[in-house]
Amino acid sequence: MAPLSQQMQQLSETCSHCSLRYLCLPDHLDSHDLEKLERLVDSGAPVLAETELFAQGEGLTHIYAVRNGSAKTVRIDEEGFEQILGFYYPGDILGFDGFADQHHHCSAVALETSHFCRIPVDQLDALVDELPSLRQRLVRLMSQVLSEDGRMMLTLGRKDSEGRISSLLLGLSRRRALRGMPASSVPLNMKRADLANFLSMRLETVSRVLTRLQRAGVIKVSQNRVDILDRDALRERSSRGAWVADQS
Amino acid sequence: MAPLSQQMQQLSETCSHCSLRYLCLPDHLDSHDLEKLERLVDSGAPVLAETELFAQGEGLTHIYAVRNGSAKTVRIDEEGFEQILGFYYPGDILGFDGFADQHHHCSAVALETSHFCRIPVDQLDALVDELPSLRQRLVRLMSQVLSEDGRMMLTLGRKDSEGRISSLLLGLSRRRALRGMPASSVPLNMKRADLANFLSMRLETVSRVLTRLQRAGVIKVSQNRVDILDRDALRERSSRGAWVADQS
DNA sequence: CACTGCGATTGACCTGGATCAATACAACCA
DNA sequence: TGGTTGTATTGATCCAGGTCAATCGCAGTG
């Protein structure tokens, strides 16, 4: 339950007044440039849970910023396997991977009823040519994703189930903190199957690990929400069990 | 042993005459823009095996394109775990992840004696503001990496040891084909430990899988080189053993 | 040539987590 | 209130691959 004032702020139509401007595209833009960006943004109707924002293979027409709510991106690879690539929260941008060849390489789906800012790519493209600050911002955001992907590969490759869950929870918590939301109470808006898919575990294992962590007094689980009781213990578990690579 | 003519071509000082221009930064640039880019590029002395091009944490001053030879990127995460993020071949760019905060988030190390093109970031940055075509090219290359990262996460998360090795071999082979090199004979310039680290397996397992594939007549292993005897079988194995995710 | 050292291979064993299957719980509807 | 459906938890079993350890092969070196 965020206070009403905060909700209003987040839903404000203009980037300049958006509480997320320092996380999102607008960061580092001066008010003049920001105004131009603002004019591109279309904050449309609410998107219902399970609704696709864009589909894999589709042409790239817009990128999206999460305004409120949450989303996931899913890719189905050549062999038909489905992989959740990430979860997205207010201020995050969806659609960067489409710039490669002007087609989306994954689908984006709302996890709950959410609002998104739609930004038409062609106009953004033109504006980027005009505003060096915007280009830099864009490159930085993409580069950030790259470096987060690296971290994720490490998690998937090196950590055991407990480490993966712990890392995920800490990550979600950290991202809440960035947004000024209570970091010790993390809502799991996605289903267990989504978590399992994302972390490359079976959902039974997700369940087991969550209860194990609960029994150990590290977290408190209640269906769609996890309270972090002992952050240090969680941190400890997120790296314990990760195995060290052989020396080259 | 590439023919001398090809070596000469690859080592040509100018992008315009470089045989890799269609893979590398210059692609899609007209001759006028290309000339400007060319002036930034410094193709320095050969880099010896095991030498660092740049180190994690270091400020971003240059990005590098592989001219010939090969390299790997390695990241050491907060908890001290070392992860190889990728292998790089002629035409590939190293250093993109540094744009996030002007610092490298991984180290780059030559796998063998290699040549690299050094491009100073500040000058590149200025040129990018000047040339929209270069900006687009840059964004596309970064976006490509993003989408390849997605594929890699899937491999790490979903595939068993045989699938991982098979995928890797096919990937290396495909990249050779792109460069016009014999695709059925793949040199493994990195050590087994590097392969293992990259694929998140133990080196013993890498060894076992390679010999298993050899015994099955799919490949022929000879210390630092793998010959692909039955590409279809390899493809089959690269997806077999990958498990399907639970439905959300 | 013997010696050393590094990397690759192979063998034997054991554990984490996938798999299969049953049960529990909540929301929703008739 | 009971039935139905979707989701989460828990239990029992099994195996891929991690772990430990021995061996081998080759390159360099005194």
Side-chain angles (χ1 to χ4, degrees), chain A residues 1-240:
Chain A
M1 290 295 131
L4 185 58
S5 64
Q6 191 182 344
Q7 288 187 20
M8 292 296 292
Q9 204 181 357
Q10 286 186 13
L11 285 168
S12 162
E13 283 293 320
T14 64
C15 294
S16 353
H17 297 100
C18 182
S19 65
L20 300 163
R21 62 185 175 283
Y22 297 118
L23 284 174
C24 194
L25 268 181
D27 194 31
H28 288 291
L29 266 58
D30 64 34
S31 59
H32 176 255
D33 292 355
L34 184 48
E35 204 184 307
K36 293 190 171 182
L37 174 61
E38 237 163 51
R39 280 202 284 271
L40 302 188
V41 177
D42 165 26
S43 51
V47 176
L48 299 181
E50 301 292 304
T51 309
E52 261 189 359
L53 278 172
F54 54 80
Q56 182 172 351
E58 212 172 80
L60 175 73
T61 60
H62 299 78
I63 62 172
Y64 298 79
V66 183
R67 180 178 281 265
N68 62 34
S70 53
K72 62 178 174 182
T73 48
V74 189
R75 152 205 287 241
I76 299 181
D77 80 341
E78 305 77 45
E79 292 130 1
F81 299 109
E82 200 173 321
Q83 169 72 27
I84 293 180
L85 299 175
F87 300 112
Y88 297 80
Y89 294 94
D92 291 336
I93 311 283
L94 291 151
F96 278 152
D97 69 344
F99 286 119
D101 62 355
Q102 310 302 312
H103 289 267
H104 288 292
H105 288 210
C106 62
S107 306
V109 178
L111 288 173
E112 59 195 305
T113 304
S114 310
H115 288 256
F116 297 90
C117 300
R118 274 164 58 100
I119 306 165
V121 169
D122 49 356
Q123 293 179 54
L124 180 66
D125 219 51
L127 191 60
V128 167
D129 284 335
E130 191 184 329
L131 307 179
S133 57
L134 182 57
R135 173 187 62 81
Q136 283 204 353
R137 181 62 188 146
L138 212 59
V139 169
R140 277 188 196 192
L141 281 174
M142 291 184 71
S143 178
Q144 266 176 31
V145 179
L146 280 184
S147 104
E148 273 163 35
D149 279 3
R151 170 175 295 140
M152 191 58 204
M153 288 188 215
L154 204 143
T155 297
L156 286 181
R158 292 255 132 66
K159 295 186 178 180
D160 64 5
S161 54
E162 207 170 282
R164 294 183 197 194
I165 293 279
S166 304
S167 299
L168 178 91
L169 291 176
L170 287 171
L172 291 179
S173 167
R174 195 176 48 80
R175 292 164 76 182
R176 300 208 91 214
L178 277 179
R179 286 160 180 76
M181 332 198 71
S184 290
S185 181
V186 179
L188 298 182
N189 356 50
M190 67 298 284
K191 305 191 183 147
R192 294 286 187 276
D194 285 336
L195 280 183
N197 181 313
F198 180 61
L199 297 174
S200 295
M201 307 165 41
R202 304 260 84 167
L203 60 83
E204 295 94 324
T205 310
V206 171
S207 204
R208 274 187 251 271
V209 171
L210 283 176
T211 56
R212 197 192 311 160
L213 288 176
Q214 169 157 252
R215 266 202 268 278
V218 179
I219 60 173
K220 166 94 172 44
V221 186
S222 51
Q223 60 264 9
N224 285 328
R225 152 160 264 99
V226 168
D227 292 287
I228 299 179
L229 303 178
D230 185 344
R231 182 170 302 266
D232 289 333
L234 203 57
R235 244 193 295 274
E236 211 272 324
R237 279 159 198 262
S238 85
S239 53
R240 183 186 342 153

Side-chain angles (χ1 to χ4, degrees), chain B residues 146-193:
Chain B
L146 280 184
S147 104
E148 273 163 35
D149 279 3
R151 169 176 296 139
M152 192 58 205
M153 287 189 215
L154 203 143
T155 296
L156 286 180
R158 292 255 132 65
K159 295 185 179 180
D160 64 6
S161 55
E162 207 170 282
R164 293 183 197 194
I165 293 279
S166 305
S167 299
L168 179 91
L169 291 177
L170 287 172
L172 290 180
S173 168
R174 195 175 49 79
R175 292 165 77 182
R176 298 208 93 212
L178 277 179
R179 286 160 180 77
M181 331 198 72
S184 289
S185 181
V186 179
L188 297 183
N189 358 48
M190 67 298 284
K191 306 188 183 151
R192 294 285 186 277

Side-chain angles (χ1 to χ4, degrees), chain B residues 13-57:
Chain B
E13 283 294 319
T14 64
C15 293
S16 353
H17 298 101
C18 182
S19 66
L20 300 163
R21 61 185 176 284
Y22 297 118
L23 283 173
C24 193
L25 268 182
D27 194 31
H28 288 289
L29 265 59
D30 63 36
S31 59
H32 177 255
D33 292 356
L34 184 48
E35 203 184 308
K36 293 190 169 181
L37 174 61
E38 237 164 52
R39 279 202 283 271
L40 302 188
V41 177
D42 165 26
S43 50
V47 177
L48 299 181
E50 301 292 304
T51 310
E52 262 190 358
L53 278 172
F54 53 81
Q56 182 172 352

